[in-house]
Amino acid sequence: MGKNFYNLEETEFKETIDKLKSLPKVDAPDNFEYNLMVKINNKNFELKTEKKKISFLWKILPAPAVVAAAVLAFFFIPEQTIENSSLLQFSPLQVIDSAKQAELTSQSAVVDFGNDKNKSSFEETNINTEQKNTVNNKIKVQPNDVVVKEKTAIPFDPSKQVDIDKFINGKAVNSSPASPANLVSGGEKSSNFEGFIIKNKDERDSLLKNKSKEDSLSAKSNKKGVK
Amino acid sequence: MNKNLSSLKDEELIKEFQDNNTIEAYEILVKRYKDPLMNFVYRFLGDKDICTDVVQDTMIKFYLNKDSYKSFAKFSTWIYTIAGNLAKNELKRRKRRSFLSLHTDEDEAPVQIEDKTFVAPDRYTDGEIKNKMIQKALLKVKPVYREVVILRDIEAFSYEEIADITGLSIGTVKSRINRGRTQLQKLLKNIYKE
């Protein structure tokens, strides 16, 4: 119970200081040392106050983690894997070797040849035009590790193609006079209306004339070559 | 051996602990400082359970980082610095938690069960009520002022020692103590009137 001595500046707060000094002392719990020594002996040096900090971080971590995962999924997962994710949505690709396909087409051509000469020539030309319109330019590895050459169509409308030989032989039929391409190729395939055009009635005659000219020129050149 | 150690000063004990890893020296220092640190941290935080954790952590930090103590400093200021920093961290964490929490304090209030040890307010002594009010007022003082006021007026450290503990200049310590006392005086006015 010693006397309190105050500085000059402290005399102003004498009462407050006395009140603070009169506060009862708070002691540590009885098991304080025991608990501490148990922690030290067990090498359990995890600080309780810092542990709470970590648990708090864990509480707020899931939200940004979900956002980050969504962003990564949006930007980094390629489109192809999304397309292939559900196999039921797509019809299975036919696994046919290009060589085998060529063999099949040639076989059909040979069979048809014996029956009707004209027919076979017509089908041959069909096959040829189909083959011309497709090109084996894409190699694709399927999920079951089978390598397939995919045929991609050349972007030419077959209805707009003209087979002069067929036309001259009289096999083409004018079914749709709207399209000049149909006019020539026989109108077997529908095509879009392309506007009104002036028809040339003498087209067949002029083509025959040109054809005969071409033939005579080629005959002359062949003769010269022989000589 | 233990009797000899008990008679040693704090600085001699920590040196013994540093040099020979004598656990008895550590135990004696824990015994000497557990209560003063408890009192300091309790007055600063106002929660006994958290205060016990903070002082336990202080002692663990002391055990693990004994070599970071340099002999030119006083042991008391060194251990109070550790305790003060942990208490301030805890206070910041509690503030952050209360700020981010979606629940109000009313929601977090515990379920009320009859407390048979409860003493009616009229049975409280005048001194006990006043002590509670002083502690409540102390917790309303800004933490930067509260820390130095507790160190000066409750723990009775000198201005120099407080400057060592807080890492502030003596001038700053004095002005902070002055401001803290002024705030506290205003808050305690009602008690004086009674």
Side-chain angles (χ1 to χ4, degrees):
Chain A
M1 291 285 177
K3 244 186 176 181
N4 286 327
F5 295 98
Y6 301 102
N7 297 332
L8 274 173
E9 59 224 21
E10 287 180 341
T11 49
E12 193 188 335
F13 304 103
K14 188 182 166 295
E15 273 182 291
T16 314
I17 295 165
D18 284 344
K19 288 281 173 196
L20 288 171
K21 282 188 175 166
S22 70
L23 284 171
K25 298 285 176 196
V26 176
D27 293 336
D30 296 335
N31 58 355
F32 181 88
E33 279 170 89
Y34 173 77
N35 288 342
L36 181 68
M37 293 321 289
V38 165
K39 275 184 192 173
I40 288 167
N41 289 331
N42 294 338
K43 305 213 169 193
N44 177 20
F45 299 127
E46 198 177 26
L47 301 180
K48 275 197 172 180
T49 47
E50 303 222 334
K51 191 183 162 189
K52 280 172 193 166
K53 189 181 179 181
I54 293 161
S55 64
F56 174 73
L57 274 175
W58 274 108
K59 275 182 190 172
I60 58 166
L61 192 68
V66 167
V67 173
V71 169
L72 284 171
F74 185 77
F75 286 108
F76 293 104
I77 293 177
E79 249 179 74
Q80 216 173 12
T81 54
I82 294 166
E83 280 176 7
N84 293 338
S85 59
S86 175
L87 292 168
L88 294 168
Q89 289 178 351
F90 305 98
S91 55
L93 287 164
Q94 222 176 351
V95 184
I96 300 170
D97 197 355
S98 58
K100 205 174 177 182
Q101 197 178 18
E103 196 180 32
L104 281 167
T105 50
S106 63
Q107 272 177 0
S108 66
V110 167
V111 169
D112 289 341
F113 187 76
N115 296 334
D116 189 359
K117 203 178 179 180
N118 289 333
K119 197 182 172 185
S120 68
S121 66
F122 174 73
E123 279 182 5
E124 262 183 35
T125 51
N126 259 352
I127 291 162
N128 285 336
T129 50
E130 273 174 23
Q131 279 176 347
K132 276 173 192 170
N133 289 342
T134 56
V135 176
N136 287 334
N137 62 349
K138 204 175 182 184
I139 295 164
K140 197 175 179 182
V141 181
Q142 288 190 339
N144 54 358
D145 293 339
V146 176
V147 181
V148 178
K149 279 183 182 177
E150 253 189 15
K151 289 191 172 184
T152 51
I154 299 166
F156 296 131
D157 188 357
S159 64
K160 290 180 183 174
Q161 290 175 2
V162 176
D163 194 340
I164 296 167
D165 287 327
K166 253 167 75 179
F167 179 72
I168 293 163
N169 290 333
K171 285 176 182 173
V173 183
N174 289 344
S175 60
S176 170
S179 165
N182 270 354
L183 198 81
V184 178
S185 66
E188 286 172 1
K189 287 174 184 173
S190 63
S191 66
N192 295 329
F193 179 66
E194 290 183 354
F196 298 100
I197 55 164
I198 300 161
K199 289 178 193 172
N200 190 0
K201 284 182 181 175
D202 300 322
E203 204 176 357
R204 192 170 181 272
D205 298 328
S206 62
L207 279 166
L208 278 168
K209 277 178 187 174
N210 286 333
K211 174 77 177 161
S212 60
K213 273 180 187 176
E214 267 183 35
D215 290 344
S216 63
L217 281 167
S218 60
K220 276 178 185 177
S221 62
N222 283 338
K223 278 177 185 176
K224 279 178 185 177
V226 171
K227 280 177 183 179
Chain B
M1 177 68 182
N2 208 354
K3 210 176 182 182
N4 290 339
L5 283 172
S6 313
S7 61
L8 291 176
K9 284 181 181 176
D10 297 342
E11 288 72 28
E12 289 168 332
L13 283 168
I14 180 109
K15 197 167 187 318
E16 176 65 28
F17 182 45
Q18 281 177 331
D19 295 344
N20 306 316
N21 207 20
T22 316
I23 200 78
E24 286 83 11
Y26 171 76
E27 283 175 344
I28 292 166
L29 284 167
V30 169
K31 250 180 205 167
R32 281 185 194 173
Y33 281 92
K34 62 173 183 170
D35 289 337
L37 286 176
M38 198 74 185
N39 195 46
F40 164 58
V41 177
Y42 174 73
R43 296 296 169 205
F44 187 72
L45 294 174
D47 188 315
K48 239 179 180 179
D49 292 334
I50 291 169
C51 158
T52 310
D53 289 343
V54 170
V55 179
Q56 285 259 341
D57 289 355
T58 306
M59 293 306 181
I60 288 170
K61 278 209 164 188
F62 158 40
Y63 180 85
L64 294 172
N65 307 304
K66 62 176 191 285
D67 295 321
S68 67
Y69 168 77
K70 303 291 173 214
S71 56
F72 54 81
K74 273 184 88 175
F75 176 75
S76 60
T77 57
W78 183 69
I79 200 140
Y80 266 85
T81 307
I82 298 171
N85 288 338
L86 286 171
K88 278 183 262 182
N89 288 347
E90 181 58 31
L91 198 71
K92 277 181 199 167
R93 205 169 299 134
R94 282 166 71 184
K95 271 188 183 173
R96 209 185 304 136
R97 220 177 294 152
S98 64
F99 176 74
L100 290 171
S101 175
L102 293 171
H103 304 286
T104 59
D105 288 344
E106 285 166 14
D107 294 333
E108 284 175 1
V111 181
Q112 292 192 350
I113 301 164
E114 189 193 359
D115 182 10
K116 286 175 181 172
T117 61
F118 175 74
V119 183
D122 55 323
R123 285 191 183 180
Y124 265 119
T125 59
D126 200 36
E128 280 171 332
I129 294 167
K130 277 191 175 177
N131 286 342
K132 280 198 169 184
M133 292 178 87
I134 293 164
Q135 177 62 35
K136 222 176 174 183
L138 194 59
L139 291 172
K140 282 181 182 172
V141 175
K142 271 190 173 183
V144 283
Y145 304 144
R146 195 194 311 159
E147 186 191 11
V148 286
V149 167
I150 294 167
L151 287 170
R152 177 69 186 159
D153 296 335
I154 298 173
E155 300 297 318
F157 278 105
S158 68
Y159 290 125
E160 289 77 13
E161 285 171 327
I162 296 167
D164 284 344
I165 291 166
T166 54
L168 301 166
S169 67
I170 293 174
T172 312
V173 168
K174 281 183 178 178
S175 72
R176 282 192 181 182
I177 289 171
N178 204 44
R179 284 178 190 178
R181 282 171 178 160
T182 313
Q183 276 191 13
L184 195 63
Q185 202 171 38
K186 279 181 189 171
L187 291 161
L188 293 171
K189 252 182 188 175
N190 295 332
I191 297 175
Y192 296 147
K193 278 177 187 173
E194 285 168 13

